[in-house]
């Protein structure tokens, strides 16, 4: 299973350093995504924020207002940002899509920072969050695509998963910024909440400063018939010469995969995504994964962690914020360890399966404990309450190496090259739609059904574990251009077979080359290079 030897990882870093640099820069998009996710829950609990907007936390409408303030950015704006990602990234390229999205996010953050000046109206805050959310949604759909289309197959899962690592780092930093402001500023000074809003622009600035020096996606360039630019981009990110044999071979495979699928319109892509059973399942796979990711309940904790810690017996706003910050540190550490020792070693499927089991246990314990031992204001912490708090951390341990990063990895990997923009847009729209629903209903559920909230999410974790066994293939080390072979034939039979590491289909496909398929189709052994070059000429002349 997992291998905890650091030497291979260090060799990978040296061998694929350019890919890792590109990954780190693009993953700042994940950090700003996470920073904004973690920011708002803590800000809503600040007395200075409530004073600036004349909000009454004891009002019966406050829970609904909390959901509105959170969801207006992170779900409504992000949903439409993800929707636009298909057009923007397909027409302008992955790199320019990230630049445009980043500028939109920074503008939205600036509007939020400067709101509530000589007014208590929430209108400017809403506008800023919608604009910023549009940028976040666009970034969230493009980053895994951009990284996945540049990364080597040997480290692709780890690189795509780095978006989630930076995401949870942003969440953690936002929690501690909130905590620090809550401790340092005791009065109702608006700087208490303005500083956290302003600091969320920092990862956006770092992304903008770094991405301009990176190459465009070679696969997008091939799809647009720009083969010379694609060769240069691929050679740059691989750190090799344009005429290097491995670069030529990889480019030939990409060209072969795109034959007949160049410059497809939206209608043509929709038709291609549903053209047969295999394509339909491969295209819907990313959407289903993002649905299940949200149904783990993780974002209910991300947004409302201080309130959840209070509900299991932890007293005080500062205590809740600090516990939430520690929760963020645990998330960073486990996500990093998972990417180093599980994603490429244990594999995607087992990471999801173990994560599902651990998450279900944690959610069920928290729910059952609240049902049997409900806490009241003024009660001291009991052993049961302490273990319930531990289970919140236990939940994030299992989430952080499974259902946190892996859905992004599988979504980007398993989407066919010629419809990847469309599928990633649909997947992230699904994520933001259910993110919206969870953010909207969580405060209401915590108020109305209390412990039932956690039992519901625990049940979903069991269901997604069953789905993983029956419907999720193992993809580690499989070339993107050979990924479709995992979705051929009986899906359930193949996925159940992938449960046993030594018999996974990925092992047989890791050295598979798309050009070899062309050889067998032509009936001419050794004609792969010739066929690939013919395909290159066809695209160049199209």
């Amino acid at each position: 299973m997992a291998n905890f030897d650091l030497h291979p990882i260090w060799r990978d870093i040296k061998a694929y350093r350019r890919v890792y640099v590109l990954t780190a820069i693009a993953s700042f998009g994940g950090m700003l995504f996470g920073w904004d996710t973690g920011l708002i829950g803590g800000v809503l609990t600040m007395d200075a924020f409530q004073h600036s907007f004349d909000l009454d936390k004891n009002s019966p409408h406050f829970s609904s207002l909390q959901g509105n303030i959170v969801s207006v950015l992170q779900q409504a704006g992000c949903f439409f940002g993800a929707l636009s990602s298909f057009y923007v990234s397909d027409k302008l390229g992955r790199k320019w899509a990230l630049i445009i999205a980043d500028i939109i996010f920074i503008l939205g953050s600036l509007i939020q920072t400067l709101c509530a000046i000589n007014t208590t109206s929430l209108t400017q805050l809403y506008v800023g969050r919608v604009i910023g959310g549009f940028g976040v949604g666009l970034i969230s759909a493009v980053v895994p695509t951009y990284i996945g289309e540049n990364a080597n197959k040997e480290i692709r899962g780890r690189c795509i998963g780095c978006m989630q690592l930076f995401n949870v780092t942003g969440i953690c930093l936002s929690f501690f910024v909130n905590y620090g402001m809550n401790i340092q500023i005791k009065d109702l000074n608006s700087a208490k909440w303005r500083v956290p809003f302003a600091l969320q622009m920092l990862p956006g600035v770092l992304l903008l400063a770094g991405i301009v020096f990176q190459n465009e996606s070679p696969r997008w360039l091939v799809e647009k018939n720009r083969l010379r630019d694609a060769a240069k981009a691929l050679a740059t990110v691989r750190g090799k010469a344009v005429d290097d044999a491995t670069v030529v071979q990889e480019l030939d495979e990409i060209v072969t995969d795109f034959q007949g699928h160049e410059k497809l319109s939206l209608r043509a892509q929709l038709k291609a995504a549903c053209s047969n059973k295999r394509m339909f399942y491969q295209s819907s796979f990313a959407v289903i994964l993002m649905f299940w990711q949200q149904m783990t309940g993780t974002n209910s904790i991300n947004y409302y962690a201080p309130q959840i810690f209070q509900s299991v017996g932890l007293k005080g706003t500062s205590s809740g914020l600090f516990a939430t910050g520690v929760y963020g540190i645990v998330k960073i550490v486990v996500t990093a360890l998972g990417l180093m020792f599980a994603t490429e070693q244990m594999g995607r499927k087992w990471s999801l399966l173990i994560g599902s089991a651990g998450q279900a246990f944690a959610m069920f314990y928290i729910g059952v404990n609240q049902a049997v031992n409900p806490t009241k204001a003024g009660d001291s912490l009991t052993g049961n309450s302490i273990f319930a708090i531990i289970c919140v951390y236990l939940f994030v341990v299992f989430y952080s190496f499974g259902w946190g990063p892996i859905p992004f990895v599988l979504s980007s990997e398993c989407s066919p090259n010629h419809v990847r923009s469309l599928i990633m847009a649909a997947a992230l729209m699904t994520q933001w739609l259910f993110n919206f629903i969870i953010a909207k209903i969580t405060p209401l559920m915590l108020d109305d059904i209390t412990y039932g909230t956690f039992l519901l999410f625990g049940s979903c974790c069991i269901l997604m574990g069953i789905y993983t066994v029956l419907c999720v293939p193992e993809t580690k080390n499989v070339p993107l251009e050979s990924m479709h072979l995992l979705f051929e034939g009986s899906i359930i039979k193949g996925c159940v077979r992938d449960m046993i590491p030594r018999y996974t289909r990925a092992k047989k496909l890791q050295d598979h080359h798309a050009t070899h398929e062309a050889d067998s189709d032509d009936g001419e052994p050794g004609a792969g290079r010739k066929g690939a070059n013919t395909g290159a000429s066809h695209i160049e002349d199209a």
Side-chain angles (χ1 to χ4, degrees):
M1 283 286 190
N3 180 7
F4 295 96
D5 185 7
L6 284 170
H7 294 294
I9 295 171
W10 180 242
R11 285 198 301 270
D12 278 353
I13 292 174
K14 289 195 292 185
Y16 307 119
R17 57 189 177 277
R18 293 198 181 186
V19 179
Y20 280 118
V21 169
L22 178 145
T23 297
I25 291 171
S27 293
F28 278 114
M31 182 177 287
L32 63 84
F33 166 12
W35 196 304
D36 198 87
T37 300
L39 164 81
I40 193 62
V43 166
L44 290 175
T45 66
M46 292 180 180
D47 52 1
F49 179 84
Q50 294 165 11
H51 177 264
S52 294
F53 292 96
D54 196 22
L55 303 176
D56 180 9
K57 66 179 178 181
N58 297 316
S59 166
H61 305 295
F62 187 69
S63 292
S64 178
L65 183 64
Q66 278 184 314
N68 286 336
I69 293 173
V70 171
S71 61
V72 165
L73 163 81
Q74 281 281 0
Q75 291 74 43
C78 292
F79 177 86
F80 290 105
L83 174 63
S84 72
S85 69
F86 162 73
Y87 180 83
V88 178
S89 69
D90 192 57
K91 294 297 181 184
L92 303 180
R94 321 308 193 203
K95 177 179 173 178
W96 271 103
L98 288 177
I99 292 172
I100 292 169
D102 194 24
I103 292 172
I104 293 172
F105 169 78
I106 291 172
L107 176 62
S109 299
L110 193 60
I111 293 173
Q112 293 170 69
T113 304
L114 300 177
C115 65
I117 297 176
N118 299 323
T119 180
T120 59
S121 173
L122 288 165
T123 302
Q124 185 177 336
L125 179 65
Y126 284 154
V127 170
R129 293 188 73 71
V130 169
I131 293 173
F134 188 91
V136 170
L138 179 51
I139 285 173
S140 67
V142 177
V143 168
T145 301
Y146 179 65
I147 295 174
E149 290 182 343
N150 275 287
N152 305 68
K153 65 183 177 65
E154 293 83 2
I155 58 169
R156 187 179 58 234
R158 185 179 298 142
C159 288
I160 299 172
C162 277
M163 174 182 170
Q164 180 66 9
L165 175 60
F166 277 63
N167 183 355
V168 298
T169 302
I171 293 173
C172 181
L173 290 173
S174 71
F175 285 153
F176 275 107
V177 168
N178 288 346
Y179 175 70
M181 299 309 295
N182 206 58
I183 292 296
Q184 294 299 318
I185 302 178
K186 298 294 186 183
D187 58 18
L188 300 177
N189 191 328
S190 65
K192 192 173 187 176
W193 60 267
R194 290 189 197 278
V195 171
F197 274 126
L199 286 177
Q200 73 175 345
M201 289 184 275
L202 179 61
V205 171
L206 293 174
L207 171 61
L208 191 60
I211 197 67
V212 295
F213 299 105
Q214 299 305 308
N215 58 273
E216 180 54 88
S217 161
R219 286 171 172 83
W220 180 81
L221 291 168
V222 168
E223 198 266 338
K224 299 304 177 188
N225 302 339
R226 294 166 55 183
L227 292 192
R228 292 184 181 86
D229 291 337
K232 290 177 184 177
L234 191 60
T236 298
V237 78
R238 296 291 178 265
K240 297 177 180 178
V242 174
D243 58 355
D244 183 88
T246 58
V247 172
V248 173
Q249 171 68 31
E250 186 173 358
L251 184 63
D252 283 351
E253 292 176 13
I254 298 170
V255 170
T256 301
D257 188 64
F258 270 107
Q259 284 187 33
H261 302 297
E262 306 90 4
K263 293 187 176 182
L264 296 181
S265 65
L266 173 59
R267 183 177 178 181
Q269 289 195 38
L270 285 169
K271 187 175 180 180
C274 304
S275 59
N276 55 54
K277 174 186 171 184
R278 191 264 299 171
M279 274 296 295
F280 179 75
Y281 185 71
Q282 196 174 354
S283 300
S284 63
F285 183 58
V287 173
I288 297 170
L289 285 173
M290 289 303 178
F291 164 77
W292 282 126
Q293 186 194 54
Q294 291 308 301
M295 295 311 294
T296 60
T298 181
N299 278 320
S300 66
I301 298 178
N302 288 342
Y303 292 130
Y304 303 107
Q307 296 91 315
I308 289 172
F309 279 118
Q310 289 173 23
S311 75
V312 296
L314 199 61
K315 302 175 191 174
T317 300
S318 293
S319 296
L321 287 174
F322 182 75
T324 305
V326 175
Y327 172 89
I329 292 176
V330 172
K331 215 169 183 180
I332 292 173
V333 172
V334 179
T335 302
L337 291 175
L339 292 174
M340 285 193 292
F341 302 116
T343 303
E344 301 296 355
Q345 292 88 335
M346 184 185 296
R348 287 55 153 158
K349 190 178 182 78
W350 273 100
S351 295
L352 290 179
L353 194 58
I354 294 172
S356 300
Q359 290 166 194
F361 171 80
M363 283 294 191
F364 276 124
Y365 183 86
I366 295 170
V368 171
N369 177 67
Q370 276 200 317
V372 177
N373 303 299
T375 59
K376 298 181 182 124
D379 287 352
S380 59
L381 282 174
T382 64
N384 290 323
S385 295
I386 291 172
F387 191 70
I389 293 170
I390 291 173
C391 277
V392 175
Y393 293 107
L394 192 63
F395 171 87
V396 77
V397 165
F398 286 99
Y399 174 82
S400 294
F401 75 82
W403 284 93
I406 301 301
F408 290 103
V409 174
L410 287 172
S411 296
S412 180
E413 286 183 329
C414 295
S415 302
N417 279 333
H418 56 287
V419 292
R420 182 171 288 113
S421 296
L422 174 66
I423 293 174
M424 290 303 294
L428 270 297
M429 284 166 62
T430 302
Q431 188 206 43
W432 289 116
L433 174 63
F434 284 93
N435 202 323
F436 171 87
I437 294 170
I438 297 299
K440 196 74 173 169
I441 66 175
T442 293
L444 303 177
M445 289 196 300
L446 289 173
D447 283 343
D448 294 337
I449 64 173
T450 59
Y451 65 85
T453 306
F454 304 103
L455 298 180
L456 172 64
F457 289 134
S459 299
C460 288
C461 290
I462 291 177
L463 290 175
M464 66 186 68
I466 296 172
Y467 173 79
T468 300
V469 172
L470 300 178
C471 302
V472 176
E474 181 54 67
T475 63
K476 69 174 183 178
N477 284 337
V478 178
L480 289 181
E481 286 66 39
S482 302
M483 200 67 69
H484 65 279
L485 297 173
L486 294 173
F487 294 86
E488 300 282 3
S490 173
I491 292 169
I492 293 178
K493 182 179 178 181
C495 291
V496 170
R497 177 183 172 185
D498 286 346
M499 288 287 296
I500 305 173
R502 71 167 63 181
Y503 297 123
T504 61
R505 293 167 296 165
K507 273 195 169 182
K508 295 183 177 180
L509 291 175
Q510 62 186 2
D511 295 320
H512 180 269
H513 297 291
T515 49
H516 292 173
E517 275 190 343
D519 293 347
S520 60
D521 291 342
D522 296 338
E524 297 178 27
R529 177 74 62 212
K530 181 180 177 182
N533 288 339
T534 303
S537 300
H538 164 69
I539 291 180
E540 196 72 72
D541 295 339

